[in-house]
């Protein structure tokens, strides 16, 4: 952080309140001199208070994936769609905590039709999104269809100069004017 090496002490407690669970992300960064990084704990004005509190929420979940109605908003650690052919074990927390994504994972049943859907990040214009509809037609036989769309395959890659070309395919990764 800011060109310095910091040690991290982190707690991620899950607070169950009935069917609702809130997972917090309580992190302290300490440098080699014992100084605490306090920018994540800025309560100086209303905007900073809101941002500091929101950054402490890892996810909010209702129910469990096996329940008839379930959703989780925030960090997604293990998303699988259908039998895992299109999406298997996806996580939107690969670059966490440098990039905090607010995704959603939802499942419900309506009139015998099961719906399952997810999106990786509301802030990044719904980059990776998928859904599945299925219905049990005869005992033990289910028919369904899935669709997964990645609106920008480069969106998750680092772009140091913010020119819209990820460093991986940018011959000039530190120059926003030139790219190839």
């Amino acid at each position: 952080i800011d060109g310095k090496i910091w040690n991290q002490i982190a707690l991620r407690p899950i607070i169950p309140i009935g069917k609702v669970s809130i997972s917090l992300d309580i992190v302290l960064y300490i440098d080699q001199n014992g100084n605490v990084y306090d920018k994540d704990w800025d309560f100086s004005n209303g905007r900073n208070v809101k941002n500091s509190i929101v950054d402490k929420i890892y996810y909010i979940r209702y129910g469990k994936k096996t329940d008839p109605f379930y959703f989780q908003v925030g960090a997604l650690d293990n998303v699988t769609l259908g039998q895992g052919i299109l999406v298997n074990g996806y996580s939107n927390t690969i670059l966490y905590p440098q990039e905090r994504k607010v995704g959603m994972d939802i499942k419900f049943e309506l009139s015998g039709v099961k719906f399952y859907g997810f999106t990786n990040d509301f802030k990044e214009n719904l980059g990776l999104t998928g859904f599945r509809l299925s219905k049990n037609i005869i005992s033990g036989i289910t028919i369904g269809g899935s669709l997964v769309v990645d609106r920008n395959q480069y969106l998750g890659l680092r772009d140091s100069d913010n020119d819209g070309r990820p460093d991986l395919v940018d011959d000039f990764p530190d120059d926003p004017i030139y790219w190839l």
Side-chain angles (χ1 to χ4, degrees):
I1 301 172
D2 297 333
K4 291 174 66 176
I5 295 176
W6 297 81
N7 294 302
Q8 179 188 71
I9 299 172
L11 298 172
R12 197 168 287 153
I14 299 173
I15 303 167
I17 307 167
K19 284 195 161 251
V20 175
S21 295
I22 301 171
S23 178
L24 301 178
D25 187 32
I26 310 299
V27 179
L28 288 175
Y29 295 102
I30 302 170
D31 70 5
Q32 69 260 13
N33 299 324
N35 299 319
V36 174
Y37 182 76
D38 59 356
K39 289 184 182 173
D40 290 340
W41 299 88
D42 185 359
F43 297 101
S44 61
N45 60 46
R47 182 174 184 240
N48 292 343
V49 168
K50 175 193 66 95
N51 290 339
S52 292
I53 291 172
V54 167
D55 282 347
K56 305 301 176 269
I57 299 173
Y58 191 64
Y59 67 75
I60 298 173
R61 179 179 68 208
Y62 179 85
K64 298 185 189 286
K65 285 191 177 190
T66 56
D67 291 348
F69 178 71
Y70 155 85
F71 76 86
Q72 180 169 319
V73 175
L76 305 176
D77 291 322
N78 188 9
V79 174
T80 299
L81 187 65
Q83 304 302 317
I85 293 172
L86 296 176
V87 178
N88 188 10
Y90 173 77
S91 174
N92 70 350
T93 61
I94 299 292
L95 297 175
Y96 192 83
Q98 292 85 2
E99 292 184 24
R100 296 174 188 260
K101 297 187 177 191
V102 180
M104 184 172 79
D105 192 16
I106 187 167
K107 181 186 120 183
F108 61 88
E109 186 172 341
L110 189 62
S111 300
V113 177
K114 294 180 182 177
F115 174 84
Y116 176 75
F118 79 96
T119 186
N120 72 327
D121 194 9
F122 288 111
K123 297 185 294 184
E124 293 291 342
N125 199 12
L126 308 176
L128 181 65
T129 303
F131 70 90
R132 176 174 176 74
L133 295 171
S134 64
K135 181 169 177 58
N136 189 354
I137 54 172
I138 302 173
S139 63
I141 298 176
T142 302
I143 187 168
S146 303
L147 176 68
V148 177
V149 178
D150 191 351
R151 292 175 40 127
N152 182 348
Q153 296 174 11
Y154 293 135
L155 190 60
L157 300 177
R158 189 171 311 271
D159 182 11
S160 301
D161 56 8
N162 294 317
D163 64 355
R165 309 287 188 284
D167 295 349
L168 183 68
V169 295
D170 189 350
D171 288 338
F172 306 96
D174 297 319
D175 191 338
I177 296 172
Y178 298 106
W179 55 270
L180 186 59

